[in-house]
Amino acid sequence: MSIEAKNISKTFGSFTALNDVSIQFPSGKLVALLGPSGSGKTTLLRIIAGLEVADKGSVYFEGEHATERSAKDRRVGFVFQHYALFRHMSVFENVAFGLNVKPRETRPSKEEIHERVMKLLKLVQLDWLADRRPSQLSGGQRQRVALARALAVEPKVLLLDEPFGALDAKVRKELRRWLRRLHDEIHVTSIFVTHDVDEALEVADEIVVMNAGRIEQIGTPDRVYEHPANSFVYHFLGNVNLFHTRIHDGQAHFANQTFDVQADSGAALVHARPHDIELSREETGGGWMRACIRYVHAIGPLVRIELIQADNQQIIEAELSRERYAEQRFATGEMVSVRPRQVKVFPAGPAAGDYSI
Amino acid sequence: MAGTISHFHKPPERKQISVGEPRAVRWLLIAIALLFLGLVLVVPLVAVFTEALRKGWVAYGQALIEPDALSAIRLTLIAASIAVPLNLIFGLSASWAITKFQFRGKNLLLTLIDLPFAVSPVISGLIYVLMFGMQGWLGPWLQEHDIKIVFAVPGIVLATLFVTFPFVARELIPLMQAQGSDEEESAIVLGASGWQTFRKVTLPNIKWGLLYGIILCNARAMGEFGAVSVVSGHIRGLTNTMPLHVEILYNEYNFVAAFAVASLLALLALLTLVLKNIVEWQTNRNLHSEPLIEPPENRP
């Protein structure tokens, strides 16, 4: 089922959680709402679920106006960050809850409920734990029960609020891959909220980047990562090296290259990822800058090198593969030439770079 | 009876070597505590029962089945059986409203709930006399319509209601705040109605706290003296509750009867303590059913 939110605004006291947000979620996709905390992503999810009421704007399910519909009647599945399992019920009873509370006319028979619950528990690979209490399960298991419980009522949409946020890194990774496989199996329109960039890039069909109650960019993970719409998105998706330049007649010049910028004049910021920074002992001129190696951090798969630009004392961070580093053996204190292989240029607005992790 | 509420969560016992006192000091502290407890609590309690049984079981029994005593017991039970359910409803709705909704005046409501703890019981009784008494605000109107509140059963029930209404709410609010509304929200998203959510999700989660509040509320309702004394009018056989009956008998130097009825109240107190401990034990068991160490994640 497709979902559309139109001109949604929501404030909590003096805090603006959502500021005139409009977005369409296509049917059958797994979409990530990605953003820092306080960006309004959870609020948007809760408004879609009907757990929160928007101050302004409307929600459409499959083109049908659903703003007035209560959470009870929206037929959405909702998975909470802290699982929210019914602590006094067994795993089986938890999953069966949504079926048991149906009005008598539409409630499946006891045998049907049993069959459906066990099928779902098999789907989340927890059928052997049906009689346990939630408190006897690990975090990852609890979240899978929560997912099975949400799926039991055959929702048209699955909404997940930071579903893996409370889990440790390893379980988190396993579970998000598992969620991707599950989604490929059942194809229910799913929206999940996350502040974890890797999670969004790895799992989602589409990413919605949010900041301060607004949508910054919508696109496939590839598109968002390779072509960030603005400085915020660039910053949020990874580490950044910034170089300053100026705009003349809609163009900015940097490292012997010319870039079109959406501004006529003023300052511009050149963004480059650390892994796009090239280091060389021989090259000079032609876009190469001189820099002094201040620090080499050679732990893990990547070697991180911190440099200080010779002319303006700015810090540059570079990342090299182990092989490349082994060939060159750069040492602390050495003067080298530096060049960004690939850059993005954005006008230096007030929003640029004001987000820090 | 003081209007205090003990807390469920006792801190884990741990030996603190840093504050380990010398043996003598420790014994002294324990001795003081025990001595004080003995003098103030145990001796009077024993005295109640010995005085009550001074002339044997027959006199004891007769004091209890005497018509005035029976009517006092009946009135006490009536007052409690009205006050406790009403306060149960009030406490549930107040704590539900306070913990699940945002609204103006929430802090005022929280403060008002504590009012009966802060006001002397005699004053709370007096309020009703001032409102419903002959010279009170509504006195003339009530008299015109031949409705008696003060110096009659309704006044006693009202006074009992007033002094006991914080108990259930005070017990539930912290509990429901700690539990949050995640479970209720997921029940509603799963299609449960408000009533289903309350019955199947909220109530099982708060049942022990609720029971604890009811026990305390009941104990106070049956034992209340001050407020009830002001509105009762002390009419024998009509508007005397058990605590008031004890006072009257005592003032008439009818010690055996006075202590006999008092022993019933003392037994009620002991029963309350036992029930309270059982409920506390149950609550703790529920709290600690959460394993401290998470079981290892079983790979899918």
Side-chain angles (χ1 to χ4, degrees):
Chain A
M1 184 177 69
S2 71
I3 304 166
E4 191 182 357
K6 252 191 197 161
N7 307 102
I8 301 275
S9 292
K10 173 83 183 171
T11 53
F12 295 104
S14 60
F15 175 73
T16 306
L18 289 172
N19 191 353
D20 198 26
V21 167
S22 294
I23 184 173
Q24 250 179 323
F25 298 97
S27 189
K29 290 272 171 62
L30 179 56
V31 182
L33 291 179
L34 175 67
S37 50
S39 59
K41 51 195 191 312
T42 295
T43 309
L44 180 58
L45 195 78
R46 290 173 61 86
I47 286 174
I48 293 172
L51 291 172
E52 209 86 66
V53 181
D55 298 339
K56 266 189 235 136
S58 26
V59 178
Y60 298 88
F61 282 6
E62 202 88 79
E64 233 177 279
H65 198 251
T67 319
E68 309 296 320
R69 233 182 273 168
S70 73
K72 173 179 177 295
D73 303 320
R74 288 202 190 188
R75 290 202 59 193
V76 299
F78 202 98
V79 174
F80 293 79
Q81 179 178 4
H82 297 288
Y83 329 123
L85 294 176
F86 307 125
R87 64 193 94 182
H88 60 284
M89 296 182 199
S90 70
V91 166
F92 181 92
E93 289 166 328
N94 262 281
V95 178
F97 184 88
L99 299 170
N100 280 329
V101 297
K102 281 190 178 204
R104 205 166 295 250
E105 313 88 64
T106 54
R107 194 190 307 156
S109 71
K110 259 212 152 93
E111 293 74 40
E112 269 177 86
I113 291 180
H114 187 269
E115 198 182 316
R116 240 156 94 183
V117 171
M118 288 320 281
K119 209 172 123 195
L120 275 163
L121 283 176
K122 256 192 203 102
L123 184 71
V124 299
Q125 292 142 338
L126 287 174
D127 45 330
W128 53 289
L129 289 175
D131 297 327
R132 300 273 184 94
R133 288 290 173 102
S135 58
Q136 294 168 304
L137 306 184
S138 71
Q141 290 168 339
R142 287 184 212 185
Q143 198 55 296
R144 278 186 281 157
V145 175
L147 206 64
R149 183 180 67 176
L151 291 172
V153 289
E154 292 174 339
K156 296 176 177 166
V157 199
L158 189 58
L159 306 172
L160 307 104
D161 182 12
E162 305 239 9
F164 316 126
L167 303 170
D168 62 65
K170 200 160 163 288
V171 181
R172 202 180 168 121
K173 243 183 187 158
E174 259 170 45
L175 212 54
R176 73 190 188 209
R177 282 185 194 143
W178 175 84
L179 174 72
R180 180 67 245 187
R181 285 201 304 275
L182 184 80
H183 184 264
D184 292 338
E185 247 174 81
I186 58 178
H187 288 299
V188 58
T189 309
S190 308
I191 307 173
F192 76 101
V193 160
T194 182
H195 59 258
D196 185 331
V197 177
D198 293 339
E199 195 170 294
L201 289 175
E202 186 181 321
V203 175
D205 294 318
E206 228 171 277
I207 294 181
V208 178
V209 185
M210 296 190 65
N211 178 37
R214 290 178 179 281
I215 292 172
E216 299 280 355
Q217 190 175 5
I218 305 173
T220 60
D222 198 42
R223 176 93 201 152
V224 171
Y225 192 80
E226 293 299 331
H227 304 282
N230 55 38
S231 187
F232 172 82
V233 177
Y234 200 103
H235 270 90
F236 192 70
L237 293 186
N239 293 332
V240 189
N241 287 301
L242 286 177
F243 305 97
H244 294 268
T245 183
R246 293 206 68 81
I247 307 170
H248 294 289
D249 303 324
Q251 289 190 318
H253 299 275
F254 178 74
N256 279 5
Q257 281 178 291
T258 308
F259 302 91
D260 291 325
V261 186
Q262 280 172 328
D264 280 341
S265 60
L269 285 172
V270 180
H271 298 59
R273 297 265 180 237
H275 60 80
D276 281 331
I277 301 282
E278 223 176 331
L279 269 65
S280 166
R281 285 207 175 88
E282 295 88 36
E283 307 284 341
T284 47
W288 290 86
M289 297 167 280
R290 296 295 286 172
C292 176
I293 295 178
R294 193 168 75 162
Y295 185 68
V296 178
H297 186 78
I299 290 172
L302 288 172
V303 178
R304 277 196 6 248
I305 299 181
E306 207 177 281
L307 307 104
I308 295 192
Q309 238 174 295
D311 50 354
N312 60 9
Q313 303 300 311
Q314 281 231 320
I315 291 172
I316 304 175
E317 209 183 300
E319 275 172 13
L320 267 61
S321 69
R322 282 217 159 256
E323 293 76 28
R324 180 99 181 84
Y325 176 72
E327 282 167 25
Q328 302 276 338
R329 290 262 148 228
F330 294 109
T332 312
E334 205 177 335
M335 280 300 269
V336 291
S337 294
V338 176
R339 185 181 68 173
R341 220 174 284 137
Q342 203 187 28
V343 299
K344 293 272 177 244
V345 184
F346 300 109
D354 66 351
Y355 172 76
S356 55
I357 293 171
Chain B
M1 269 212 231
T4 48
I5 287 179
S6 63
H7 290 279
F8 276 172
H9 313 278
K10 288 174 190 150
E13 283 170 39
R14 201 192 315 162
K15 272 192 188 159
Q16 285 189 315
I17 295 158
S18 57
V19 290
E21 307 291 347
R23 187 175 288 261
V25 177
R26 256 189 284 163
W27 282 113
L28 185 69
L29 287 174
I30 294 171
I32 290 175
L34 285 180
L35 194 72
F36 201 77
L37 212 68
L39 272 177
V40 178
L41 274 173
V42 179
V43 172
L45 200 63
V46 173
V48 167
F49 286 99
T50 40
E51 283 296 324
L53 294 169
R54 180 178 293 271
K55 292 190 181 155
W57 288 95
V58 179
Y60 179 83
Q62 267 168 354
L64 291 182
I65 55 166
E66 185 239 340
D68 285 353
L70 278 181
S71 111
I73 293 170
R74 197 180 309 122
L75 184 58
T76 299
L77 289 178
I78 287 172
S81 63
I82 295 174
V84 173
L86 284 180
N87 278 326
L88 169 67
I89 294 169
F90 165 79
L92 262 175
S93 5
S95 26
W96 186 277
I98 283 167
T99 53
K100 313 275 173 182
F101 312 138
Q102 292 297 327
F103 57 92
R104 268 168 197 278
K106 191 162 154 173
N107 281 327
L108 186 71
L109 182 59
L110 262 173
T111 315
L112 285 180
I113 287 175
D114 279 342
L115 193 68
F117 284 164
V119 174
S120 153
V122 176
I123 308 291
S124 29
L126 216 55
I127 294 169
Y128 288 107
V129 174
L130 287 175
M131 266 176 66
F132 304 118
M134 296 280 257
Q135 271 73 46
W137 290 355
L138 301 171
W141 186 86
L142 288 171
Q143 213 171 9
E144 248 170 61
H145 293 81
D146 204 21
I147 302 170
K148 264 190 92 66
I149 290 184
V150 172
F151 307 141
V153 177
I156 291 169
V157 172
L158 274 177
T160 310
L161 259 178
F162 182 84
V163 290
T164 54
F165 83 66
F167 286 94
V168 173
R170 269 283 146 208
E171 208 48 58
L172 288 184
I173 290 168
L175 186 67
M176 286 166 89
Q177 262 167 350
Q179 289 180 344
S181 15
D182 270 12
E183 286 182 46
E184 278 82 8
E185 281 184 348
S186 47
I188 286 167
V189 172
L190 286 168
S193 65
W195 173 242
Q196 282 173 321
T197 304
F198 175 74
R199 198 166 48 89
K200 296 190 171 196
V201 177
T202 309
L203 201 57
N205 279 341
I206 60 168
K207 63 178 176 205
W208 292 114
L210 189 64
L211 197 59
Y212 188 78
I214 292 173
I215 289 170
L216 288 180
C217 183
N218 183 57
R220 183 68 193 267
M222 291 191 172
E224 176 56 27
F225 180 83
V228 170
S229 170
V230 176
V231 294
S232 131
H234 304 268
I235 307 165
R236 277 189 110 149
L238 279 179
T239 64
N240 264 351
T241 61
M242 281 163 77
L244 301 182
H245 190 61
V246 170
E247 195 209 15
I248 287 179
L249 291 172
Y250 188 81
N251 287 343
E252 288 171 349
Y253 304 105
N254 191 350
F255 294 133
V256 169
F259 280 108
V261 178
S263 74
L264 276 189
L265 284 170
L267 277 176
L268 170 74
L270 290 175
L271 184 70
T272 304
L273 278 180
V274 171
L275 283 177
K276 175 179 158 272
N277 271 315
I278 292 173
V279 171
E280 261 180 7
W281 176 74
Q282 275 289 349
T283 318
N284 277 331
R285 217 180 54 154
N286 279 14
L287 279 178
H288 294 298
S289 64
E290 301 259 332
L292 295 175
I293 302 159
E294 294 235 319
E297 170 75 4
N298 290 289
R299 298 283 186 80

